[in-house]
Amino acid sequence: MDVNFPWDFTWAWIALALATFPATMGVINLCLVRPPAGKPAEGTMVSILIPARNEEANIAACLEAVLASQGVAIEVVVMDDGSTDRTPEIVRALAARDARVRLESAPLLPAGWTGKVHACARLADAANGTHFLYVDADVRLAPNAAADMAGH
């Protein structure tokens, strides 16, 4: 019995092999990944950088999680990128309670730049830390996340 395939059967095997390659690499990486072994070096400070535009629903919970960081000194810089909601007021209120929080306002967008990329570049300019950790306002960091990143 002769079966006619619409494509060469060899190509199907090649396609299958190529499709399984990323999954195989993922499994290998999961087997090799180890938790960070070291603690951050003396004098390490992580700048947690948050670009924010109209994030009033998320920013307070994000900042509360970030401020619960343990094991490393942190500073938190929030770049307000032209919010029209209460985002800046919420950040100012938290900054009044905790000196590690600072609110910056994004300057006007130069030609050829996009909003978030520009805000992230300005955040890097404003940061004082030895390590930078960028997070979005809808992220909730685990208390050891900044220290683990700096110790890795």
Side-chain angles (χ1 to χ4, degrees):
M1 178 171 186
D2 194 17
V3 178
N4 292 326
F5 290 103
W7 65 85
D8 185 6
F9 195 66
T10 303
W11 286 109
W13 282 107
I14 292 172
L16 180 63
L18 290 174
T20 59
F21 181 74
T24 303
M25 292 305 297
V27 169
I28 290 169
N29 284 336
L30 285 173
C31 292
L32 296 176
V33 169
R34 301 285 181 262
K39 293 185 178 186
E42 188 70 30
T44 297
M45 181 170 70
V46 176
S47 294
I48 302 176
L49 308 173
I50 307 170
R53 180 181 175 115
N54 295 333
E55 291 287 356
E56 104 179 271
N58 291 311
I59 196 69
C62 175
L63 288 173
E64 293 294 344
V66 164
L67 292 172
S69 292
Q70 304 169 5
V72 68
I74 64 164
E75 71 167 345
V76 184
V77 185
V78 178
M79 180 69 63
D80 178 52
D81 196 10
S83 293
T84 57
D85 65 2
R86 294 183 51 248
T87 299
E89 291 83 12
I90 294 168
V91 175
R92 277 190 210 98
L94 283 164
R97 289 190 346 225
D98 195 318
R100 297 175 294 172
V101 178
R102 192 167 81 239
L103 176 66
E104 300 281 336
S105 295
L108 293 175
L109 191 63
W113 284 79
T114 57
K116 188 173 244 182
V117 172
H118 181 249
C120 288
R122 300 297 66 85
L123 279 165
D125 292 340
N128 298 311
T130 56
H131 295 70
F132 294 174
L133 176 56
Y134 288 89
V135 298
D136 281 332
D138 58 353
V139 170
R140 307 297 177 259
L141 288 182
N144 61 334
D148 285 350
M149 186 270 308
H152 187 65

